[in-house]
Amino acid sequence: MPSASRGYVIAPSLFDNPDRVSSPRRVEFFKPERIILGKGSLSNSRRRDLVERICKLYPAGEVIEELDTPHNRISLDDSNSLQLHYRGKQTLVFGEHNSAVRLSEEQDNTCPNYWHFSPYGFCPYDCKYCYLAGTPGVKFSPTVKIFLNLWDILNQIDGIANKLAKPTAFYLGKLQDGLALDPLTGYSQIIIPFFAEHPWARQTLLTKSADVDNLLKLDHRGHTILSWSLNPACVCLQFEAHSPSVTDRIKAMKKCAAAGYPIRAVIMPIIPVEQWEKVYADFLSELLENVQFERITLGGLCSYPAALRLTENKLGPDNVISQALGSNQENLPDGRSRYPKSLRLKMYGHFISVIRRYQPELDVSLCLEERSVFESLGLTSSLGRCNCVL
Ligand code: SF4
């Protein structure tokens, strides 16, 4: 537990009352074939209990004990990168993560850098463009992970936030989907009250999940900002396999808005499908008529070579994303590939004009973009006011 010298002490009731957390429920689109109990999985009764209850939901899943192996050393023994990727998506790993709270390290783009935390690793959904799939940690061990040392993670956040002593966002959704596994763990019922009670720490969360039942009755005090990653239905169908439909995501957003949560949207990656101008304009119109947002962030594809190779393995070399990136991919100083700047400006400009028609005062920002793009679009006042930060 945090020391008494800190400004805020996590209430023991947050951790010691199992009734706070609802029983695990199965997660849509996730049916692990194997469940690996990694290092730290069974090291106390609270962890053992949660692991046992989740395993019971998947009686057909083979349970394998690797209690000396840290979560990031679990090997799936497959040399084919695509097969390894899909084997990983069907593997649930329990473990503990001792450096789960970190400051992002973006350079050479406008991202303001931010604190992020990881009670989960990776994600059960199968977005064809997923940039995470190519990051070093996921590439080696692309399993879906639940970290059981949540108490330590929240204590680390508590220590950092008290030291900073000003309202500070901690982002859940950088190295995982922020909510996809919540029906299994019920973690939101601990995390959201933690942020609600904290004088400085705030949560920003990004998800594609539509299962928000655990969140609706919590006293969040506006200290958790929920954001959804969205694309038009036809893009979602083509590129976001095994994930909740966009209609269901919008229903979830409306429920959370009615429960008083601040709601944001991230339209990313924008994909220039056929007739993209109309497809996205219709989608944005419907979205803005249905949900009151506090901020929208736009972004194009922004990915690393290993992730793009996996995208091409899944979609074939002639897919619309690779075509839009072109043979002359803009490999910018931050090492990411993006669409040509002319296309990005055209897409953002079009979307901003649609957004302004419906909610003229709405905060609109861009994700991981260049300063010159903000300037060309008249968005310099939005620099550093994007999705992961307050
Ligand atoms: S939801 Fe996010 S993390 Fe999960 S597969 Fe899609 S892009 Fe990757």
Side-chain angles (χ1 to χ4, degrees), residues 14 20-22 46-47 50-51 54 94-96 117-120 145-151 153-154 172 178-179 181-195 203 205 214-215 218:
L14 266 181
R20 278 189 88 97
V21 176
S22 50
R46 203 185 282 125
R47 293 183 188 186
L50 183 58
V51 167
I54 293 175
F94 288 102
E96 57 188 8
F117 68 110
S118 294
Y120 309 108
K145 302 172 188 79
I146 293 177
F147 300 122
L148 297 157
N149 57 325
L150 180 62
W151 318 155
I153 296 172
L154 296 183
L172 172 51
L179 217 47
L181 300 175
D182 190 65
L184 285 180
T185 63
Y187 278 178
S188 61
Q189 293 159 303
I190 295 169
I191 295 175
I192 291 176
F194 162 79
F195 282 100
Q203 179 178 209
L205 181 153
N214 287 346
L215 281 65
L218 299 174

mmCIF file of all heavy atoms in Angstrom, residues 14 20-22 46-47 50-51 54 94-96 117-120 145-151 153-154 172 178-179 181-195 203 205 214-215 218:
data_model
loop_
_atom_site.group_PDB
_atom_site.id
_atom_site.type_symbol
_atom_site.label_atom_id
_atom_site.label_comp_id
_atom_site.label_asym_id
_atom_site.label_seq_id
_atom_site.Cartn_x
_atom_site.Cartn_y
_atom_site.Cartn_z
ATOM 1 N N LEU A 14 -11.041 -0.584 -1.678
ATOM 2 C CA LEU A 14 -10.981 -0.741 -3.126
ATOM 3 C C LEU A 14 -10.481 -2.123 -3.513
ATOM 4 O O LEU A 14 -10.828 -2.680 -4.520
ATOM 5 C CB LEU A 14 -9.997 0.280 -3.716
ATOM 6 C CG LEU A 14 -10.558 1.605 -4.211
ATOM 7 C CD1 LEU A 14 -9.436 2.450 -4.776
ATOM 8 C CD2 LEU A 14 -11.624 1.389 -5.259
ATOM 9 N N ARG A 20 -17.048 -5.914 -4.840
ATOM 10 C CA ARG A 20 -17.005 -4.734 -5.719
ATOM 11 C C ARG A 20 -16.980 -5.121 -7.181
ATOM 12 O O ARG A 20 -17.383 -4.378 -8.043
ATOM 13 C CB ARG A 20 -15.709 -3.932 -5.471
ATOM 14 C CG ARG A 20 -15.727 -3.014 -4.326
ATOM 15 C CD ARG A 20 -14.481 -2.178 -4.381
ATOM 16 N NE ARG A 20 -14.683 -0.987 -5.189
ATOM 17 C CZ ARG A 20 -14.983 0.199 -4.672
ATOM 18 N NH1 ARG A 20 -15.091 0.347 -3.393
ATOM 19 N NH2 ARG A 20 -15.174 1.239 -5.453
ATOM 20 N N VAL A 21 -16.425 -6.310 -7.440
ATOM 21 C CA VAL A 21 -16.193 -6.709 -8.824
ATOM 22 C C VAL A 21 -17.171 -7.811 -9.203
ATOM 23 O O VAL A 21 -17.301 -8.799 -8.498
ATOM 24 C CB VAL A 21 -14.738 -7.203 -8.985
ATOM 25 C CG1 VAL A 21 -14.487 -7.714 -10.381
ATOM 26 C CG2 VAL A 21 -13.777 -6.068 -8.659
ATOM 27 N N SER A 22 -17.860 -7.627 -10.339
ATOM 28 C CA SER A 22 -18.851 -8.625 -10.728
ATOM 29 C C SER A 22 -18.144 -9.893 -11.216
ATOM 30 O O SER A 22 -16.964 -9.874 -11.561
ATOM 31 C CB SER A 22 -19.750 -8.058 -11.818
ATOM 32 O OG SER A 22 -18.958 -7.500 -12.828
ATOM 33 N N ARG A 46 -5.925 -13.872 -4.037
ATOM 34 C CA ARG A 46 -6.774 -13.030 -4.891
ATOM 35 C C ARG A 46 -6.509 -13.340 -6.373
ATOM 36 O O ARG A 46 -7.416 -13.468 -7.178
ATOM 37 C CB ARG A 46 -6.467 -11.565 -4.587
ATOM 38 C CG ARG A 46 -7.595 -10.628 -4.951
ATOM 39 C CD ARG A 46 -7.169 -9.186 -4.745
ATOM 40 N NE ARG A 46 -7.185 -8.779 -3.364
ATOM 41 C CZ ARG A 46 -6.113 -8.249 -2.745
ATOM 42 N NH1 ARG A 46 -4.974 -8.105 -3.380
ATOM 43 N NH2 ARG A 46 -6.196 -7.855 -1.503
ATOM 44 N N ARG A 47 -5.223 -13.483 -6.712
ATOM 45 C CA ARG A 47 -4.874 -13.818 -8.099
ATOM 46 C C ARG A 47 -5.380 -15.207 -8.475
ATOM 47 O O ARG A 47 -5.951 -15.412 -9.537
ATOM 48 C CB ARG A 47 -3.353 -13.755 -8.294
ATOM 49 C CG ARG A 47 -2.797 -12.346 -8.159
ATOM 50 C CD ARG A 47 -1.307 -12.327 -8.431
ATOM 51 N NE ARG A 47 -0.752 -11.012 -8.102
ATOM 52 C CZ ARG A 47 0.491 -10.646 -8.336
ATOM 53 N NH1 ARG A 47 1.326 -11.506 -8.898
ATOM 54 N NH2 ARG A 47 0.912 -9.454 -8.016
ATOM 55 N N LEU A 50 -9.128 -15.201 -9.190
ATOM 56 C CA LEU A 50 -9.534 -14.617 -10.472
ATOM 57 C C LEU A 50 -9.155 -15.553 -11.631
ATOM 58 O O LEU A 50 -9.960 -15.797 -12.539
ATOM 59 C CB LEU A 50 -8.889 -13.228 -10.663
ATOM 60 C CG LEU A 50 -9.308 -12.484 -11.941
ATOM 61 C CD1 LEU A 50 -10.827 -12.275 -11.999
ATOM 62 C CD2 LEU A 50 -8.601 -11.129 -12.048
ATOM 63 N N VAL A 51 -7.936 -16.099 -11.581
ATOM 64 C CA VAL A 51 -7.487 -17.006 -12.646
ATOM 65 C C VAL A 51 -8.434 -18.205 -12.750
ATOM 66 O O VAL A 51 -8.884 -18.588 -13.834
ATOM 67 C CB VAL A 51 -6.035 -17.479 -12.367
ATOM 68 C CG1 VAL A 51 -5.641 -18.649 -13.264
ATOM 69 C CG2 VAL A 51 -5.055 -16.319 -12.551
ATOM 70 N N ILE A 54 -11.811 -17.275 -14.264
ATOM 71 C CA ILE A 54 -11.764 -17.026 -15.713
ATOM 72 C C ILE A 54 -11.561 -18.347 -16.467
ATOM 73 O O ILE A 54 -12.215 -18.600 -17.486
ATOM 74 C CB ILE A 54 -10.669 -15.989 -16.061
ATOM 75 C CG1 ILE A 54 -11.056 -14.612 -15.479
ATOM 76 C CG2 ILE A 54 -10.474 -15.883 -17.572
ATOM 77 C CD1 ILE A 54 -10.019 -13.520 -15.651
ATOM 78 N N PHE A 94 -1.774 -15.232 -18.309
ATOM 79 C CA PHE A 94 -1.846 -14.497 -17.042
ATOM 80 C C PHE A 94 -0.428 -14.240 -16.552
ATOM 81 O O PHE A 94 0.449 -15.103 -16.697
ATOM 82 C CB PHE A 94 -2.577 -15.319 -15.972
ATOM 83 C CG PHE A 94 -4.047 -15.436 -16.205
ATOM 84 C CD1 PHE A 94 -4.591 -16.600 -16.733
ATOM 85 C CD2 PHE A 94 -4.894 -14.384 -15.889
ATOM 86 C CE1 PHE A 94 -5.960 -16.706 -16.948
ATOM 87 C CE2 PHE A 94 -6.268 -14.484 -16.101
ATOM 88 C CZ PHE A 94 -6.790 -15.645 -16.629
ATOM 89 N N GLY A 95 -0.196 -13.090 -15.970
ATOM 90 C CA GLY A 95 1.133 -12.803 -15.453
ATOM 91 C C GLY A 95 1.125 -11.516 -14.654
ATOM 92 O O GLY A 95 0.059 -11.013 -14.269
ATOM 93 N N GLU A 96 2.324 -11.014 -14.400
ATOM 94 C CA GLU A 96 2.408 -9.705 -13.735
ATOM 95 C C GLU A 96 3.357 -8.836 -14.553
ATOM 96 O O GLU A 96 4.259 -9.333 -15.227
ATOM 97 C CB GLU A 96 2.894 -9.848 -12.294
ATOM 98 C CG GLU A 96 4.224 -10.525 -12.172
ATOM 99 C CD GLU A 96 4.608 -10.829 -10.729
ATOM 100 O OE1 GLU A 96 3.789 -10.651 -9.813
ATOM 101 O OE2 GLU A 96 5.761 -11.250 -10.534
ATOM 102 N N PHE A 117 -0.743 3.197 -18.998
ATOM 103 C CA PHE A 117 -0.600 2.029 -18.121
ATOM 104 C C PHE A 117 -1.235 0.793 -18.751
ATOM 105 O O PHE A 117 -2.083 0.896 -19.634
ATOM 106 C CB PHE A 117 -1.156 2.314 -16.718
ATOM 107 C CG PHE A 117 -2.653 2.483 -16.627
ATOM 108 C CD1 PHE A 117 -3.441 1.515 -16.008
ATOM 109 C CD2 PHE A 117 -3.282 3.614 -17.116
ATOM 110 C CE1 PHE A 117 -4.819 1.673 -15.883
ATOM 111 C CE2 PHE A 117 -4.666 3.783 -17.012
ATOM 112 C CZ PHE A 117 -5.430 2.815 -16.396
ATOM 113 N N SER A 118 -0.786 -0.376 -18.286
ATOM 114 C CA SER A 118 -1.127 -1.637 -18.962
ATOM 115 C C SER A 118 -1.573 -2.731 -17.993
ATOM 116 O O SER A 118 -0.773 -3.587 -17.607
ATOM 117 C CB SER A 118 0.082 -2.144 -19.753
ATOM 118 O OG SER A 118 0.378 -1.279 -20.809
ATOM 119 N N PRO A 119 -2.854 -2.755 -17.622
ATOM 120 C CA PRO A 119 -3.336 -3.934 -16.892
ATOM 121 C C PRO A 119 -3.578 -5.106 -17.844
ATOM 122 O O PRO A 119 -3.845 -6.226 -17.402
ATOM 123 C CB PRO A 119 -4.657 -3.455 -16.271
ATOM 124 C CG PRO A 119 -5.067 -2.257 -17.059
ATOM 125 C CD PRO A 119 -3.864 -1.696 -17.743
ATOM 126 N N TYR A 120 -3.526 -4.841 -19.148
ATOM 127 C CA TYR A 120 -3.668 -5.867 -20.185
ATOM 128 C C TYR A 120 -2.546 -5.680 -21.198
ATOM 129 O O TYR A 120 -1.967 -4.593 -21.297
ATOM 130 C CB TYR A 120 -4.992 -5.707 -20.965
ATOM 131 C CG TYR A 120 -6.220 -5.599 -20.114
ATOM 132 C CD1 TYR A 120 -6.898 -4.391 -19.986
ATOM 133 C CD2 TYR A 120 -6.714 -6.719 -19.452
ATOM 134 C CE1 TYR A 120 -8.044 -4.292 -19.206
ATOM 135 C CE2 TYR A 120 -7.851 -6.630 -18.666
ATOM 136 C CZ TYR A 120 -8.518 -5.413 -18.547
ATOM 137 O OH TYR A 120 -9.627 -5.331 -17.780
ATOM 138 N N LYS A 145 -2.911 -10.739 -22.970
ATOM 139 C CA LYS A 145 -2.419 -10.871 -21.591
ATOM 140 C C LYS A 145 -3.291 -10.139 -20.582
ATOM 141 O O LYS A 145 -3.756 -9.027 -20.842
ATOM 142 C CB LYS A 145 -0.997 -10.299 -21.495
ATOM 143 C CG LYS A 145 -0.016 -10.972 -22.443
ATOM 144 C CD LYS A 145 1.311 -10.256 -22.451
ATOM 145 C CE LYS A 145 2.224 -10.794 -23.524
ATOM 146 N NZ LYS A 145 1.922 -10.298 -24.876
ATOM 147 N N ILE A 146 -3.458 -10.781 -19.437
ATOM 148 C CA ILE A 146 -4.087 -10.113 -18.295
ATOM 149 C C ILE A 146 -3.041 -10.050 -17.192
ATOM 150 O O ILE A 146 -2.478 -11.093 -16.801
ATOM 151 C CB ILE A 146 -5.327 -10.893 -17.798
ATOM 152 C CG1 ILE A 146 -6.434 -10.849 -18.863
ATOM 153 C CG2 ILE A 146 -5.839 -10.324 -16.472
ATOM 154 C CD1 ILE A 146 -7.679 -11.659 -18.507
ATOM 155 N N PHE A 147 -2.760 -8.854 -16.716
ATOM 156 C CA PHE A 147 -1.786 -8.700 -15.634
ATOM 157 C C PHE A 147 -2.530 -8.630 -14.304
ATOM 158 O O PHE A 147 -3.502 -7.885 -14.157
ATOM 159 C CB PHE A 147 -0.922 -7.462 -15.870
ATOM 160 C CG PHE A 147 -0.168 -7.543 -17.163
ATOM 161 C CD1 PHE A 147 -0.322 -6.585 -18.151
ATOM 162 C CD2 PHE A 147 0.675 -8.628 -17.412
ATOM 163 C CE1 PHE A 147 0.355 -6.686 -19.365
ATOM 164 C CE2 PHE A 147 1.366 -8.738 -18.623
ATOM 165 C CZ PHE A 147 1.193 -7.764 -19.595
ATOM 166 N N LEU A 148 -2.029 -9.442 -13.359
ATOM 167 C CA LEU A 148 -2.782 -9.617 -12.115
ATOM 168 C C LEU A 148 -2.313 -8.686 -11.005
ATOM 169 O O LEU A 148 -2.917 -8.647 -9.938
ATOM 170 C CB LEU A 148 -2.678 -11.077 -11.677
ATOM 171 C CG LEU A 148 -3.327 -12.022 -12.708
ATOM 172 C CD1 LEU A 148 -2.751 -13.419 -12.596
ATOM 173 C CD2 LEU A 148 -4.837 -12.047 -12.536
ATOM 174 N N ASN A 149 -1.253 -7.933 -11.258
ATOM 175 C CA ASN A 149 -0.740 -7.025 -10.207
ATOM 176 C C ASN A 149 -1.368 -5.635 -10.346
ATOM 177 O O ASN A 149 -0.675 -4.619 -10.320
ATOM 178 C CB ASN A 149 0.783 -6.951 -10.252
ATOM 179 C CG ASN A 149 1.324 -6.506 -11.603
ATOM 180 O OD1 ASN A 149 0.755 -6.844 -12.633
ATOM 181 N ND2 ASN A 149 2.406 -5.743 -11.596
ATOM 182 N N LEU A 150 -2.684 -5.613 -10.487
ATOM 183 C CA LEU A 150 -3.373 -4.324 -10.662
ATOM 184 C C LEU A 150 -3.109 -3.372 -9.508
ATOM 185 O O LEU A 150 -2.957 -2.169 -9.685
ATOM 186 C CB LEU A 150 -4.880 -4.572 -10.822
ATOM 187 C CG LEU A 150 -5.728 -3.321 -11.024
ATOM 188 C CD1 LEU A 150 -5.346 -2.596 -12.303
ATOM 189 C CD2 LEU A 150 -7.217 -3.656 -11.043
ATOM 190 N N TRP A 151 -3.048 -3.940 -8.293
ATOM 191 C CA TRP A 151 -2.840 -3.075 -7.114
ATOM 192 C C TRP A 151 -1.520 -2.317 -7.236
ATOM 193 O O TRP A 151 -1.444 -1.123 -6.992
ATOM 194 C CB TRP A 151 -2.823 -3.861 -5.807
ATOM 195 C CG TRP A 151 -3.834 -4.961 -5.615
ATOM 196 C CD1 TRP A 151 -3.667 -6.042 -4.791
ATOM 197 C CD2 TRP A 151 -5.125 -5.102 -6.187
ATOM 198 N NE1 TRP A 151 -4.779 -6.844 -4.856
ATOM 199 C CE2 TRP A 151 -5.690 -6.294 -5.699
ATOM 200 C CE3 TRP A 151 -5.870 -4.355 -7.093
ATOM 201 C CZ2 TRP A 151 -6.947 -6.741 -6.060
ATOM 202 C CZ3 TRP A 151 -7.131 -4.800 -7.472
ATOM 203 C CH2 TRP A 151 -7.646 -5.974 -6.947
ATOM 204 N N ILE A 153 0.071 -1.609 -9.960
ATOM 205 C CA ILE A 153 -0.025 -0.644 -11.072
ATOM 206 C C ILE A 153 -0.697 0.642 -10.577
ATOM 207 O O ILE A 153 -0.224 1.758 -10.828
ATOM 208 C CB ILE A 153 -0.803 -1.272 -12.256
ATOM 209 C CG1 ILE A 153 -0.019 -2.467 -12.826
ATOM 210 C CG2 ILE A 153 -1.077 -0.236 -13.340
ATOM 211 C CD1 ILE A 153 -0.771 -3.287 -13.872
ATOM 212 N N LEU A 154 -1.790 0.485 -9.826
ATOM 213 C CA LEU A 154 -2.491 1.684 -9.326
ATOM 214 C C LEU A 154 -1.638 2.420 -8.295
ATOM 215 O O LEU A 154 -1.653 3.649 -8.227
ATOM 216 C CB LEU A 154 -3.860 1.312 -8.752
ATOM 217 C CG LEU A 154 -4.845 0.745 -9.788
ATOM 218 C CD1 LEU A 154 -6.203 0.472 -9.146
ATOM 219 C CD2 LEU A 154 -5.031 1.669 -10.979
ATOM 220 N N LEU A 172 -5.158 4.368 -20.936
ATOM 221 C CA LEU A 172 -5.289 2.916 -21.082
ATOM 222 C C LEU A 172 -5.782 2.650 -22.505
ATOM 223 O O LEU A 172 -6.925 2.997 -22.830
ATOM 224 C CB LEU A 172 -6.272 2.376 -20.038
ATOM 225 C CG LEU A 172 -6.699 0.908 -20.146
ATOM 226 C CD1 LEU A 172 -5.511 -0.022 -20.266
ATOM 227 C CD2 LEU A 172 -7.542 0.508 -18.940
ATOM 228 N N GLY A 178 -8.472 -0.915 -24.406
ATOM 229 C CA GLY A 178 -8.645 -0.537 -23.009
ATOM 230 C C GLY A 178 -9.763 -1.258 -22.273
ATOM 231 O O GLY A 178 -9.766 -1.297 -21.034
ATOM 232 N N LEU A 179 -10.721 -1.832 -23.025
ATOM 233 C CA LEU A 179 -11.899 -2.378 -22.342
ATOM 234 C C LEU A 179 -12.272 -3.790 -22.799
ATOM 235 O O LEU A 179 -13.149 -4.412 -22.204
ATOM 236 C CB LEU A 179 -13.089 -1.435 -22.636
ATOM 237 C CG LEU A 179 -14.122 -1.152 -21.569
ATOM 238 C CD1 LEU A 179 -13.496 -0.807 -20.230
ATOM 239 C CD2 LEU A 179 -15.058 -0.037 -22.027
ATOM 240 N N LEU A 181 -11.224 -6.759 -22.503
ATOM 241 C CA LEU A 181 -11.197 -7.891 -21.572
ATOM 242 C C LEU A 181 -11.894 -7.579 -20.251
ATOM 243 O O LEU A 181 -11.884 -8.410 -19.334
ATOM 244 C CB LEU A 181 -9.740 -8.322 -21.319
ATOM 245 C CG LEU A 181 -8.966 -8.777 -22.563
ATOM 246 C CD1 LEU A 181 -7.511 -9.062 -22.208
ATOM 247 C CD2 LEU A 181 -9.591 -10.018 -23.185
ATOM 248 N N ASP A 182 -12.501 -6.413 -20.169
ATOM 249 C CA ASP A 182 -13.099 -6.009 -18.884
ATOM 250 C C ASP A 182 -14.194 -6.959 -18.381
ATOM 251 O O ASP A 182 -14.294 -7.188 -17.173
ATOM 252 C CB ASP A 182 -13.629 -4.574 -18.973
ATOM 253 C CG ASP A 182 -14.029 -4.049 -17.620
ATOM 254 O OD1 ASP A 182 -13.132 -3.903 -16.765
ATOM 255 O OD2 ASP A 182 -15.234 -3.846 -17.387
ATOM 256 N N PRO A 183 -15.043 -7.540 -19.270
ATOM 257 C CA PRO A 183 -16.030 -8.484 -18.741
ATOM 258 C C PRO A 183 -15.376 -9.654 -18.008
ATOM 259 O O PRO A 183 -15.952 -10.202 -17.068
ATOM 260 C CB PRO A 183 -16.777 -8.962 -20.004
ATOM 261 C CG PRO A 183 -16.586 -7.848 -20.982
ATOM 262 C CD PRO A 183 -15.213 -7.302 -20.711
ATOM 263 N N LEU A 184 -14.175 -10.050 -18.426
ATOM 264 C CA LEU A 184 -13.479 -11.143 -17.736
ATOM 265 C C LEU A 184 -12.949 -10.703 -16.373
ATOM 266 O O LEU A 184 -13.101 -11.419 -15.383
ATOM 267 C CB LEU A 184 -12.280 -11.616 -18.573
ATOM 268 C CG LEU A 184 -12.548 -12.470 -19.805
ATOM 269 C CD1 LEU A 184 -11.220 -12.819 -20.473
ATOM 270 C CD2 LEU A 184 -13.278 -13.745 -19.414
ATOM 271 N N THR A 185 -12.312 -9.552 -16.333
ATOM 272 C CA THR A 185 -11.597 -9.159 -15.108
ATOM 273 C C THR A 185 -12.424 -8.300 -14.163
ATOM 274 O O THR A 185 -12.159 -8.265 -12.960
ATOM 275 C CB THR A 185 -10.350 -8.327 -15.467
ATOM 276 O OG1 THR A 185 -10.792 -7.125 -16.123
ATOM 277 C CG2 THR A 185 -9.409 -9.083 -16.375
ATOM 278 N N GLY A 186 -13.358 -7.535 -14.720
ATOM 279 C CA GLY A 186 -14.084 -6.554 -13.899
ATOM 280 C C GLY A 186 -13.177 -5.426 -13.416
ATOM 281 O O GLY A 186 -13.542 -4.666 -12.519
ATOM 282 N N TYR A 187 -11.998 -5.268 -14.005
ATOM 283 C CA TYR A 187 -11.037 -4.262 -13.530
ATOM 284 C C TYR A 187 -11.609 -2.839 -13.525
ATOM 285 O O TYR A 187 -11.212 -2.014 -12.704
ATOM 286 C CB TYR A 187 -9.775 -4.269 -14.407
ATOM 287 C CG TYR A 187 -8.748 -5.330 -14.072
ATOM 288 C CD1 TYR A 187 -7.581 -5.442 -14.831
ATOM 289 C CD2 TYR A 187 -8.921 -6.221 -13.007
ATOM 290 C CE1 TYR A 187 -6.615 -6.404 -14.531
ATOM 291 C CE2 TYR A 187 -7.960 -7.178 -12.718
ATOM 292 C CZ TYR A 187 -6.813 -7.269 -13.478
ATOM 293 O OH TYR A 187 -5.855 -8.216 -13.179
ATOM 294 N N SER A 188 -12.501 -2.553 -14.464
ATOM 295 C CA SER A 188 -13.040 -1.177 -14.509
ATOM 296 C C SER A 188 -13.675 -0.806 -13.170
ATOM 297 O O SER A 188 -13.687 0.364 -12.782
ATOM 298 C CB SER A 188 -14.081 -1.041 -15.627
ATOM 299 O OG SER A 188 -15.152 -1.928 -15.378
ATOM 300 N N GLN A 189 -14.191 -1.836 -12.457
ATOM 301 C CA GLN A 189 -14.885 -1.543 -11.199
ATOM 302 C C GLN A 189 -13.920 -1.202 -10.069
ATOM 303 O O GLN A 189 -14.330 -0.775 -8.997
ATOM 304 C CB GLN A 189 -15.777 -2.743 -10.828
ATOM 305 C CG GLN A 189 -16.912 -2.883 -11.831
ATOM 306 C CD GLN A 189 -17.508 -4.265 -11.848
ATOM 307 O OE1 GLN A 189 -16.807 -5.246 -12.069
ATOM 308 N NE2 GLN A 189 -18.785 -4.342 -11.602
ATOM 309 N N ILE A 190 -12.648 -1.401 -10.323
ATOM 310 C CA ILE A 190 -11.614 -0.958 -9.380
ATOM 311 C C ILE A 190 -10.914 0.292 -9.917
ATOM 312 O O ILE A 190 -10.673 1.252 -9.187
ATOM 313 C CB ILE A 190 -10.580 -2.098 -9.160
ATOM 314 C CG1 ILE A 190 -11.277 -3.278 -8.468
ATOM 315 C CG2 ILE A 190 -9.409 -1.616 -8.328
ATOM 316 C CD1 ILE A 190 -10.445 -4.542 -8.445
ATOM 317 N N ILE A 191 -10.625 0.268 -11.213
ATOM 318 C CA ILE A 191 -9.834 1.366 -11.797
ATOM 319 C C ILE A 191 -10.625 2.677 -11.804
ATOM 320 O O ILE A 191 -10.086 3.738 -11.434
ATOM 321 C CB ILE A 191 -9.395 1.001 -13.238
ATOM 322 C CG1 ILE A 191 -8.443 -0.208 -13.218
ATOM 323 C CG2 ILE A 191 -8.727 2.182 -13.910
ATOM 324 C CD1 ILE A 191 -8.053 -0.725 -14.611
ATOM 325 N N ILE A 192 -11.885 2.615 -12.216
ATOM 326 C CA ILE A 192 -12.652 3.872 -12.335
ATOM 327 C C ILE A 192 -12.884 4.515 -10.958
ATOM 328 O O ILE A 192 -12.656 5.721 -10.792
ATOM 329 C CB ILE A 192 -13.950 3.641 -13.149
ATOM 330 C CG1 ILE A 192 -13.548 3.373 -14.620
ATOM 331 C CG2 ILE A 192 -14.899 4.838 -13.056
ATOM 332 C CD1 ILE A 192 -14.680 3.023 -15.558
ATOM 333 N N PRO A 193 -13.274 3.747 -9.918
ATOM 334 C CA PRO A 193 -13.353 4.363 -8.578
ATOM 335 C C PRO A 193 -12.010 4.890 -8.084
ATOM 336 O O PRO A 193 -11.956 5.914 -7.406
ATOM 337 C CB PRO A 193 -13.851 3.220 -7.685
ATOM 338 C CG PRO A 193 -14.585 2.320 -8.614
ATOM 339 C CD PRO A 193 -13.843 2.391 -9.921
ATOM 340 N N PHE A 194 -10.919 4.220 -8.429
ATOM 341 C CA PHE A 194 -9.594 4.722 -8.033
ATOM 342 C C PHE A 194 -9.377 6.131 -8.604
ATOM 343 O O PHE A 194 -9.000 7.062 -7.880
ATOM 344 C CB PHE A 194 -8.491 3.763 -8.525
ATOM 345 C CG PHE A 194 -7.119 4.383 -8.549
ATOM 346 C CD1 PHE A 194 -6.387 4.512 -7.378
ATOM 347 C CD2 PHE A 194 -6.570 4.856 -9.730
ATOM 348 C CE1 PHE A 194 -5.118 5.108 -7.389
ATOM 349 C CE2 PHE A 194 -5.310 5.453 -9.758
ATOM 350 C CZ PHE A 194 -4.589 5.579 -8.575
ATOM 351 N N PHE A 195 -9.618 6.277 -9.904
ATOM 352 C CA PHE A 195 -9.422 7.604 -10.502
ATOM 353 C C PHE A 195 -10.450 8.604 -9.958
ATOM 354 O O PHE A 195 -10.137 9.781 -9.770
ATOM 355 C CB PHE A 195 -9.498 7.521 -12.035
ATOM 356 C CG PHE A 195 -8.232 6.972 -12.655
ATOM 357 C CD1 PHE A 195 -8.141 5.648 -13.060
ATOM 358 C CD2 PHE A 195 -7.118 7.788 -12.806
ATOM 359 C CE1 PHE A 195 -6.970 5.149 -13.613
ATOM 360 C CE2 PHE A 195 -5.932 7.291 -13.362
ATOM 361 C CZ PHE A 195 -5.859 5.973 -13.764
ATOM 362 N N GLN A 203 -8.155 9.232 -15.835
ATOM 363 C CA GLN A 203 -7.983 8.161 -16.809
ATOM 364 C C GLN A 203 -8.524 8.589 -18.173
ATOM 365 O O GLN A 203 -9.627 9.134 -18.261
ATOM 366 C CB GLN A 203 -8.725 6.896 -16.357
ATOM 367 C CG GLN A 203 -8.589 5.764 -17.368
ATOM 368 C CD GLN A 203 -9.269 4.455 -16.973
ATOM 369 O OE1 GLN A 203 -8.824 3.387 -17.373
ATOM 370 N NE2 GLN A 203 -10.326 4.528 -16.208
ATOM 371 N N LEU A 205 -9.227 6.535 -21.805
ATOM 372 C CA LEU A 205 -9.295 5.124 -22.207
ATOM 373 C C LEU A 205 -9.766 5.037 -23.657
ATOM 374 O O LEU A 205 -10.697 5.744 -24.045
ATOM 375 C CB LEU A 205 -10.261 4.405 -21.268
ATOM 376 C CG LEU A 205 -10.502 2.910 -21.441
ATOM 377 C CD1 LEU A 205 -10.899 2.280 -20.104
ATOM 378 C CD2 LEU A 205 -11.577 2.606 -22.467
ATOM 379 N N ASN A 214 -20.258 -3.037 -17.014
ATOM 380 C CA ASN A 214 -19.560 -2.844 -15.735
ATOM 381 C C ASN A 214 -19.399 -1.374 -15.368
ATOM 382 O O ASN A 214 -19.117 -1.050 -14.213
ATOM 383 C CB ASN A 214 -18.162 -3.482 -15.791
ATOM 384 C CG ASN A 214 -18.213 -4.998 -15.742
ATOM 385 O OD1 ASN A 214 -19.242 -5.579 -15.404
ATOM 386 N ND2 ASN A 214 -17.115 -5.641 -16.096
ATOM 387 N N LEU A 215 -19.531 -0.490 -16.361
ATOM 388 C CA LEU A 215 -19.168 0.916 -16.133
ATOM 389 C C LEU A 215 -20.340 1.789 -15.706
ATOM 390 O O LEU A 215 -20.144 2.856 -15.112
ATOM 391 C CB LEU A 215 -18.590 1.536 -17.419
ATOM 392 C CG LEU A 215 -17.147 1.234 -17.771
ATOM 393 C CD1 LEU A 215 -16.934 -0.230 -18.075
ATOM 394 C CD2 LEU A 215 -16.671 2.087 -18.933
ATOM 395 N N LEU A 218 -21.042 3.113 -12.001
ATOM 396 C CA LEU A 218 -19.912 3.562 -11.176
ATOM 397 C C LEU A 218 -19.957 5.073 -10.958
ATOM 398 O O LEU A 218 -20.362 5.830 -11.846
ATOM 399 C CB LEU A 218 -18.588 3.184 -11.858
ATOM 400 C CG LEU A 218 -18.366 1.680 -12.080
ATOM 401 C CD1 LEU A 218 -17.091 1.451 -12.880
ATOM 402 C CD2 LEU A 218 -18.297 0.944 -10.747
#
